[in-house]
């Protein structure tokens, strides 16, 4: 197994089941193994809107607890910058999983009454706060998100707008992070920084 190196900030992108979360968990394991003073916190952005998602979240929580027993979980679907600022420290690795669901929560909220409020606050203000939180985080930070712009142009105005917004977000975060890794078939490809 290749030894993982940690950097101040890493953006991990890829498709579904590409190995993104697994890489983030291995980075957390490596961080925790370095010192008994180290902590790891996962900021989870998914929301249990239906039975399938509730089951998926419960399965992820159980599996993650077995793989990385020392990592705490904080659920924060919207105020991501605030959560990074609150939980980041020099001795704490913060993992955000995932940016795509966070963006979905802002642009396509399940509660339609929240849609106008969310659209008014995203993307400019939320992206700016997130970039500031990345820059000021005192410890290592790992951000996980999907790269969904590799396929056909989606049907529907709202879906195309979402794909565009996620592409812009990924580009801005890639500029802000020290390392960017693209995952495919469980294998990492370093796009920026050192492997």
């Amino acid at each position: 197994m290749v030894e993982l190196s940690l950097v101040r900030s890493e953006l991990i992108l890829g498709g579904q089941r590409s190995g993104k979360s697994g890489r983030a968990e291995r980075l957390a394991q490596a961080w925790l193994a370095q010192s008994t003073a180290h902590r790891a916190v996962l900021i989870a952005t998914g929301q249990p809107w239906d039975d399938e998602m509730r089951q998926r979240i419960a399965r992820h929580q159980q599996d993650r607890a077995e793989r990385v027993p020392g990592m705490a979980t904080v659920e924060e679907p919207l105020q991501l910058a605030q959560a990074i600022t609150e939980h980041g420290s020099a001795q704490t690795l913060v993992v955000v999983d995932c940016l795509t669901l966070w963006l979905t929560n802002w642009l396509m909220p399940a509660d339609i009454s929240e849609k106008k409020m969310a659209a008014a606050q995203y993307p400019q203000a939320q992206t700016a706060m997130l970039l500031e939180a990345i820059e000021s985080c005192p410890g290592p930070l790992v951000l996980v998100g999907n790269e969904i712009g590799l396929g056909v142009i989606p049907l529907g105005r709202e879906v195309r707008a979402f794909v565009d917004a996620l592409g812009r977000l990924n580009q801005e975060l890639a500029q802000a992070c020290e390392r960017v890794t693209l995952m495919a078939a469980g294998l990492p490809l370093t796009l920026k920084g050192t492997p």
Side-chain angles (χ1 to χ4, degrees), residues 1 3 9-11 17-18 22 49 96 113 133 159 161 180 187:
M1 183 174 164
E3 187 175 326
S9 56
E10 179 170 352
L11 174 62
R17 296 284 168 231
S18 63
W49 293 116
V96 174
S113 67
V159 178
V180 179
L187 301 172

Side-chain angles (χ1 to χ4, degrees), residues 43-107:
I43 301 173
T45 61
Q47 295 187 77
W49 293 116
D50 58 30
D51 287 339
E52 187 274 334
M53 193 61 172
R54 277 188 280 283
Q55 291 170 3
R56 179 179 289 260
I57 289 171
R59 187 175 63 250
H60 282 293
Q61 289 171 338
Q62 181 179 356
D63 292 348
R64 193 169 44 250
E66 291 173 12
R67 290 188 299 261
V68 193
M71 185 160 56
T73 300
V74 173
E75 295 183 19
E76 181 47 65
L78 292 171
Q79 304 306 321
L80 191 50
Q82 181 180 339
I84 291 169
T85 300
E86 182 179 332
H87 296 283
S89 78
Q91 297 297 317
T92 303
L93 171 100
V94 175
V95 175
V96 174
D97 199 353
C98 90
L99 296 163
T100 311
L101 288 175
W102 173 73
L103 184 64
T104 301
N105 296 337
W106 278 106
L107 296 182

Side-chain angles (χ1 to χ4, degrees), residues 29-182:
Q29 289 168 336
W31 173 256
L32 291 169
Q34 286 179 0
S35 170
T36 56
H38 284 179
R39 294 182 55 241
V41 174
L42 174 99
I43 301 173
T45 61
Q47 295 187 77
W49 293 116
D50 58 30
D51 287 339
E52 187 274 334
M53 193 61 172
R54 277 188 280 283
Q55 291 170 3
R56 179 179 289 260
I57 289 171
R59 187 175 63 250
H60 282 293
Q61 289 171 338
Q62 181 179 356
D63 292 348
R64 193 169 44 250
E66 291 173 12
R67 290 188 299 261
V68 193
M71 185 160 56
T73 300
V74 173
E75 295 183 19
E76 181 47 65
L78 292 171
Q79 304 306 321
L80 191 50
Q82 181 180 339
I84 291 169
T85 300
E86 182 179 332
H87 296 283
S89 78
Q91 297 297 317
T92 303
L93 171 100
V94 175
V95 175
V96 174
D97 199 353
C98 90
L99 296 163
T100 311
L101 288 175
W102 173 73
L103 184 64
T104 301
N105 296 337
W106 278 106
L107 296 182
M108 300 176 168
D111 182 351
I112 300 302
S113 67
E114 296 177 0
K115 194 165 191 165
K116 286 184 182 179
M117 181 275 302
Q121 292 185 25
Y122 190 90
Q124 298 83 11
Q126 293 300 321
T127 298
M129 288 189 293
L130 180 55
L131 291 169
E132 186 177 316
I134 292 168
E135 180 64 31
S136 62
C137 189
L141 178 63
V142 177
L143 304 166
V144 178
N146 291 73
E147 175 53 70
I148 62 173
L150 299 173
V152 298
I153 297 172
L155 295 175
R157 181 178 53 84
E158 283 187 334
V159 178
R160 283 191 299 274
F162 179 80
V163 171
D164 289 346
L166 183 59
R168 284 189 297 275
L169 176 65
N170 287 345
Q171 288 184 45
E172 290 186 70
L173 296 178
Q175 291 299 311
C177 289
E178 188 175 318
R179 179 166 56 208
V180 179
T181 303
L182 178 66

